[in-house]
Amino acid sequence: MRASTGRDSPRLFLLSLLFALALWAGAAAVVGREVILPGPVAVFRLFGRLFYRGETWVHLGMTLFRGVLGFLLSYLAGLFIGLPCGLSRRFDAFFRPFLVGLRSTPTMALILLALIWFRADAVAVFVTFLAVFPLVVQNVTDGVRSIDPALLEMARVYRLRRGKLYRRVYLPAILPYLLAAAASGLGLTWKVIVAAEVLAAPRWGVGTRMDRARVFLATPEVLAWTILVVAVGLFFDRVLETTVRRRFFPWE
Amino acid sequence: MEDITKSYGTLLVLGGISLVVERDTILAVMGPSACGKTTLLSLLAGLQTPDAGEICGLSGKSISYVFQEPRLLDWLTAEENIALVLEDLFPPAEVCRRVEEQLEGMGLLAYRRFYPRRLSGGQRQRVAIARALAYPSRLLLMDEPFKSLDLGLKLDLIARFLASWQAAPRTVVCVTHEVKEALLLADKVVVLTRKPAVVKAVYPVPVPREERRADTLALLALEREITAALLREEEREEPSPLPA
């Protein structure tokens, strides 16, 4: 499903990281103006300064909190709608237009409406919820549909009780899809949350800081925050990929 | 279980089959490929309903089924796969006893904690057979259970299966492609015609099960006869849709 964890993959990862840094440093040297494109050294120096400032962690913490909250709400709601969608074609047919509509709504439109409706703090949570929700529903629906009918037939012959059928047959069968839903949902979360914060400008939030830095043409700071958000995304992805996978898929 | 009489005519596949299976005997069902043998089993299992006709003496009876494929849950070990179908019926100690007994019978005790993906195809099929035997059914349906096993293992498993069956006899309907296999297992061999299938002939097996070997003389004659009947049926022209 994901990139292989072969023996030389950490080395390749390091290599591609070095390549990216070299590319970046080269481009910065060619441009030659820190306001347009600061080099890696300048950005990491600023990153170091941010690191020792307490405020930084409050900003990051609030963004994380909003992201995780919005994601969890949409994940739960996605399960709640996705399971019946997978089990019943009619339920799916009823919900599909909503989901397709929601998915093709520009994120910016959601943010603008949320700005009208909610306080600045809640905007990002609401937007994350709506943006991630259709993704989760789709994954859960696909997961339920993917269950081998032959296994269900077997369960019927041996008269498995309904509770056991759901717990021991359905749930493990859709678990990989639930994990995929979480991975892609979280990935989307970090993108959307920063956009929402940039526009809503809550008191605390990475997006707010990024926009402030942009106004002051503090380009290194914009990039430093960006790197921080990317690191958060990578961290969550690794956690899902390793811890959760090992915990839930002992048979693989 | 009373004797079962079944007759049905599903539009395409089964053109009105009637047969009787005596309680606690083994019936082997043979016939040309794709003649509807699997359909027959799934009707017996209640997974499909006949368009016409009746299946008697089966309502409410518990059934176990060895499908053509093992149909194991990848996320449960061999022993958990078997225990799964027993847990609602027995206390834990009895579940454990039955699981061990059947795994032992299939020669799989060493593999009890293996996940299906780590077992070979033949081992998986044996787990499926063990599951069907561990389940306290009155009727056992088997769809080519010994297919895709090499000869030595196949004969070994047939012997193990019969031992297990003799310890606790139940009614068995077994679809198979191999005459030798049918003659080692069955009390009665039914040969079906091509689609739409009807019963072409029923051959009782005259030799007591204990005395049967792959080369028993009386069986060889019967083997030749059934093989001839099957070949004739295979070679028969597909009936034209409209009578000339």
Side-chain angles (χ1 to χ4, degrees):
Chain A
M1 194 188 283
R2 286 302 189 84
S4 75
T5 45
R7 203 161 43 88
D8 49 14
S9 91
R11 213 181 314 158
L12 282 177
F13 176 73
L14 214 66
L15 203 67
S16 72
L17 203 67
L18 284 176
F19 180 69
L21 279 175
L23 213 62
W24 177 12
V30 169
V31 172
R33 294 180 59 192
E34 192 165 276
V35 181
I36 307 293
L37 183 61
V41 179
V43 171
F44 281 108
R45 197 177 299 141
L46 189 82
F47 196 77
R49 285 224 315 271
L50 285 177
F51 194 87
Y52 291 107
R53 216 184 285 160
E55 267 177 47
T56 304
W57 303 106
V58 183
H59 289 301
L60 185 64
M62 279 306 289
T63 297
L64 277 178
F65 173 72
R66 288 191 197 101
V68 169
L69 182 66
F71 168 76
L72 283 181
L73 286 176
S74 81
Y75 200 73
L76 287 178
L79 280 179
F80 197 72
I81 300 297
L83 290 175
C85 276
L87 292 171
S88 144
R89 295 267 161 196
R90 298 176 66 183
F91 205 90
D92 184 50
F94 177 78
F95 264 99
R96 185 140 301 254
F98 289 97
L99 295 172
V100 174
L102 199 54
R103 205 178 323 181
S104 24
T105 309
T107 312
M108 280 304 155
L110 295 178
I111 296 177
L112 290 178
L113 285 172
L115 280 171
I116 299 171
W117 295 337
F118 300 106
R119 296 185 320 122
D121 273 313
V123 170
V125 177
F126 175 78
V127 174
T128 305
F129 176 83
L130 283 187
V132 174
F133 176 71
L135 199 73
V136 177
V137 173
Q138 187 61 50
N139 269 295
V140 174
T141 306
D142 289 348
V144 175
R145 293 249 171 86
S146 75
I147 293 174
D148 185 358
L151 290 181
L152 298 180
E153 214 173 60
M154 182 278 292
R156 225 175 107 198
V157 168
Y158 289 110
R159 298 185 187 170
L160 290 195
R161 298 226 181 96
R162 187 170 283 267
K164 177 169 276 191
L165 180 67
Y166 285 138
R167 217 157 20 84
R168 307 287 294 277
V169 182
Y170 273 95
L171 188 63
I174 66 173
L175 220 49
Y177 288 83
L178 295 187
L179 193 67
S184 51
L186 267 175
L188 189 59
T189 295
W190 308 124
K191 290 186 185 178
V192 172
I193 199 107
V194 171
E197 284 179 350
V198 163
L199 285 179
R203 175 145 163 55
W204 302 101
V206 171
T208 310
R209 295 309 303 168
M210 283 172 85
D211 194 46
R212 190 72 52 83
R214 176 193 63 88
V215 169
F216 290 115
L217 289 178
T219 316
E221 195 183 334
V222 175
L223 280 170
W225 285 112
T226 306
I227 290 172
L228 206 57
V229 173
V230 170
V232 164
L234 283 178
F235 170 75
F236 274 88
D237 195 66
R238 285 321 300 167
V239 168
L240 276 180
E241 195 50 32
T242 55
T243 325
V244 179
R245 183 169 290 280
R246 213 167 296 151
R247 165 87 178 71
F248 285 110
F249 304 94
W251 61 91
E252 279 185 348
Chain B
M1 176 158 48
E2 314 84 65
D3 298 342
I4 324 158
T5 319
K6 307 170 290 286
S7 51
Y8 21 61
T10 57
L11 210 59
L12 286 162
V13 191
L14 302 175
I17 291 185
S18 300
L19 50 88
V20 177
V21 188
E22 283 84 19
R23 177 181 174 155
D24 295 345
T25 62
I26 301 180
L27 175 78
V29 178
M30 307 200 64
S33 324
C35 79
K37 301 184 292 287
T38 299
T39 309
L40 180 69
L41 289 188
S42 83
L43 285 171
L44 285 173
L47 293 172
Q48 300 174 47
T49 45
D51 300 341
E54 239 188 315
I55 302 173
C56 306
L58 261 182
S59 63
K61 296 265 158 62
S62 55
I63 290 169
S64 48
Y65 197 147
V66 179
F67 299 91
Q68 261 189 57
E69 333 78 53
R71 300 201 187 181
L72 303 175
L73 301 176
D74 278 340
W75 42 91
L76 299 182
T77 60
E79 62 180 353
E80 287 168 344
N81 261 289
I82 301 171
L84 179 78
V85 302
L86 302 175
E87 283 159 357
D88 288 338
L89 306 169
F90 300 105
E94 173 66 8
V95 170
C96 194
R97 194 192 64 75
R98 282 178 170 259
V99 169
E100 274 176 23
E101 177 188 46
Q102 295 306 334
L103 278 176
E104 164 103 74
M106 286 291 125
L108 281 175
L109 213 45
Y111 295 93
R112 57 193 296 175
R113 294 194 216 292
F114 277 54
Y115 287 101
R117 283 191 193 171
R118 296 194 47 212
L119 297 172
S120 72
Q123 287 169 329
R124 280 192 283 247
Q125 188 63 10
R126 278 145 73 190
V127 175
I129 296 171
R131 175 175 64 190
L133 286 170
Y135 191 74
S137 57
R138 304 298 299 277
L139 174 65
L140 168 58
L141 304 171
M142 301 203 287
D143 201 348
E144 303 190 40
F146 305 112
K147 192 181 65 173
S148 70
L149 300 172
D150 59 68
L151 187 63
L153 185 59
K154 181 184 294 193
L155 292 176
D156 180 44
L157 280 185
I158 289 175
R160 285 167 181 276
F161 168 79
L162 284 174
S164 178
W165 177 79
Q166 259 150 354
R170 57 183 113 184
T171 311
V172 178
V173 177
C174 177
V175 165
T176 173
H177 262 121
E178 287 195 40
V179 186
K180 268 200 188 342
E181 187 180 307
L183 289 177
L184 285 174
L185 285 169
D187 295 280
K188 219 160 69 175
V189 180
V190 169
V191 175
L192 301 180
T193 64
R194 304 184 67 118
K195 205 175 339 182
V198 295
V199 174
K200 184 183 170 77
V202 179
Y203 304 91
V205 183
V207 185
R209 211 171 257 114
E210 302 74 45
E211 294 165 25
R212 294 182 201 170
R213 301 285 176 276
D215 54 356
T216 308
L217 216 55
L219 290 183
L220 285 179
L222 187 55
E223 183 180 338
R224 203 170 304 142
E225 194 181 335
I226 295 176
T227 307
L230 280 169
L231 280 178
R232 273 202 303 282
E233 199 50 44
E234 296 260 12
E235 282 158 9
R236 193 161 63 93
E237 296 259 316
E238 193 89 53
S240 59
L242 290 172

